[in-house]
Amino acid sequence: MQDIILSAPSLKSVIRCGAGAFQKYAPQIPENAFIITDSNVSALYGDLISSTFKSAPVFVIPAGERSKNYKVLIKIFEKMTECGITRKSTVVALGGGVVGDIAGLAASLYMRGINIVQIPTTLLSQVDSSVGGKTAIDFNGVKNVLGTFYQPSEVIVDPMFLKTLPAREVRCGLGEIIKYGALDGGIYNTLIKNQDGLFDLAFLESVTADCIRHKAKVVSEDEKDLSGARKTLNLGHTTGHAFELYYKRKSHGEFVLIGTYYELYIAQQSGVCEKAYADSLRSLIKKVIKKIPAYADAEQAACVAKFDKKNDRQTSVSIVAPAEKGRSEEIVLPLEKYTRLVADCARALVEEQ
């Protein structure tokens, strides 16, 4: 077990990482806690929640991205006021990325901000979304467009929760892990070395801390995405988010992998990434998703990227693409060129398959 410190200007977060972290640290959360979880986690860990947090009120939201909206957020506020939650209370986000995002937003807004502890239960939330203080809900068909930067005081990352994850959720988390491999040379080497055991729980536990350490360093340098350092964490996400909003048939992490694959094509066509390195990353992606979708209407789907928060205007699209081991590069393209390259990648996939 190890502690990773994220020293952001607004608050210092302590990430408790390793086997036994929940059993050791969750009971230390103050009694005046308010637990937010989802229906899947409640079904699996209801007894654990009640025995750990005793009489703390528990608010259960329906599992899935559809709960990340303002109507559910208002219901959370209604329950918090009904339960007499005060500024001295602590919100506990016990679940995956959706729970972490909406609970974090609720904590940041309630009484102008109360303490929050994140306890991520999915691989994706453990390696990425629970760390760094980004909170959000989706609005008007745009992902994460309403949100805040609000650091948790503590994050408790325990691999015991991974034992109950279906394979699809593991693939989802591997989407973010491979993203970190494209950003960090050390993680890239670890992934290449273990590419035939990416789904092994012991490997996932060990690489989780490496991903958290990388993110903590970036967020400490650029908490509110102002200098450009934090923008690198969006590698694969521009196209991934566009496909996620347009197609809705896969998980966020799977779409990040698919988005990374398409953006590797753009990076090569733009002269940013050499073929050998791009091929090695594509090989890792195909270890997780064996067949990358060759979307017939990829050009229309890619148009959704014009709403991405990273763009300066809706006539151009910004992507963060792998350049070489341990280095990424921002590419800004006119919307028409970006959508054409995405469509070209889809056509190339058809020819390959």
Side-chain angles (χ1 to χ4, degrees):
M1 198 184 309
Q2 58 186 298
D3 287 355
I4 299 170
I5 306 299
L6 192 163
S7 297
S10 67
L11 187 72
K12 181 171 78 172
S13 287
V14 182
I15 300 106
R16 319 283 192 184
C17 189
F22 181 88
Q23 183 179 11
K24 181 175 181 179
Y25 294 107
Q28 297 179 21
I29 293 172
E31 291 183 4
N32 57 343
F34 180 83
I35 318 302
I36 301 175
T37 190
D38 70 22
S39 53
N40 287 346
V41 176
S42 179
L44 287 167
Y45 297 106
D47 291 342
L48 180 65
I49 293 170
S50 59
S51 63
T52 302
F53 300 108
K54 309 300 184 203
S55 59
V58 179
F59 188 80
V60 181
I61 68 174
E65 185 77 18
R66 289 184 178 180
S67 286
K68 230 169 86 171
N69 63 69
Y70 70 92
K71 292 181 180 179
V72 174
L73 181 66
I74 294 301
K75 289 180 180 178
I76 292 172
F77 290 141
E78 290 172 348
K79 185 67 174 180
M80 292 172 78
T81 54
E82 177 188 317
C83 293
I85 300 304
T86 72
R87 295 190 72 180
K88 293 184 178 180
S89 300
T90 294
V91 171
V92 177
L94 181 61
V98 170
V99 169
D101 280 357
I102 197 167
L105 183 58
S108 73
L109 295 175
Y110 189 80
M111 294 188 174
R112 297 195 178 99
I114 66 174
N115 186 48
I116 180 165
V117 173
Q118 294 273 358
I119 305 180
T121 60
T122 63
L123 182 59
L124 184 146
S125 60
Q126 290 195 358
V127 300
D128 186 72
S129 65
S130 67
V131 176
K134 278 190 174 180
T135 79
I137 57 172
D138 305 335
F139 184 72
N140 276 2
V142 182
K143 189 173 175 67
N144 297 334
V145 72
L146 300 180
T148 59
F149 291 95
Y150 195 72
Q151 297 298 336
S153 59
E154 185 177 23
V155 184
I156 300 172
V157 178
D158 195 317
M160 75 168 184
F161 292 110
L162 304 183
K163 296 175 183 177
T164 55
L165 289 183
R168 185 177 187 183
E169 282 296 330
V170 177
R171 286 200 300 273
C172 188
L174 280 165
E176 296 290 348
I177 290 171
I178 290 175
K179 174 195 81 175
Y180 282 108
L183 294 171
D184 184 293
I187 296 174
Y188 170 83
N189 290 338
T190 298
L191 290 174
I192 294 297
K193 183 179 178 181
N194 294 276
Q195 59 185 302
D196 293 324
L198 295 180
F199 287 82
D200 182 78
L201 287 181
F203 164 72
L204 293 174
E205 179 182 349
S206 66
V207 79
T208 292
D210 295 332
C211 295
I212 291 171
R213 199 172 288 108
H214 179 94
K215 184 168 188 178
K217 180 177 182 297
V218 171
V219 175
S220 295
E221 295 171 357
D222 184 21
E223 180 184 16
K224 296 190 175 180
D225 225 346
L226 298 175
S227 73
R230 188 162 185 169
K231 186 181 282 190
T232 62
L233 300 177
N234 287 292
L235 187 145
H237 283 61
T238 299
T239 306
H241 276 170
F243 284 171
E244 184 177 357
L245 288 166
Y246 190 85
Y247 296 112
K248 298 182 174 69
R249 291 192 293 268
K250 295 183 183 295
S251 68
H252 170 73
E254 289 171 316
F255 276 120
V256 168
L257 286 170
I258 295 165
T260 302
Y261 193 97
Y262 274 75
E263 289 179 8
L264 279 166
Y265 178 90
I266 295 172
Q268 280 189 265
Q269 295 300 312
S270 302
V272 168
C273 185
E274 291 187 359
K275 185 176 184 301
Y277 180 57
D279 284 345
S280 71
L281 288 173
R282 276 191 281 262
S283 177
L284 285 173
I285 292 169
K286 286 185 174 181
K287 294 284 185 180
V288 183
I289 298 180
K290 299 191 183 301
K291 187 175 181 181
I292 306 299
Y295 295 118
D297 52 353
E299 191 163 3
Q300 295 97 297
C303 283
V304 179
K306 69 182 179 181
F307 299 111
D308 193 277
K309 299 184 299 300
K310 297 182 294 298
N311 301 330
D312 292 331
R313 53 188 181 276
Q314 291 187 5
T315 55
S316 64
V317 174
S318 165
I319 69 170
V320 175
E324 58 187 2
K325 187 170 83 169
R327 188 176 70 85
S328 60
E329 188 170 317
E330 182 180 16
I331 303 173
V332 180
L333 297 170
L335 178 63
E336 295 79 6
K337 184 174 183 180
Y338 164 75
T339 57
R340 177 173 56 78
L341 286 170
V342 169
D344 288 347
C345 181
R347 283 189 285 270
L349 279 165
V350 171
E351 293 175 6
E352 289 175 15
Q353 297 167 3

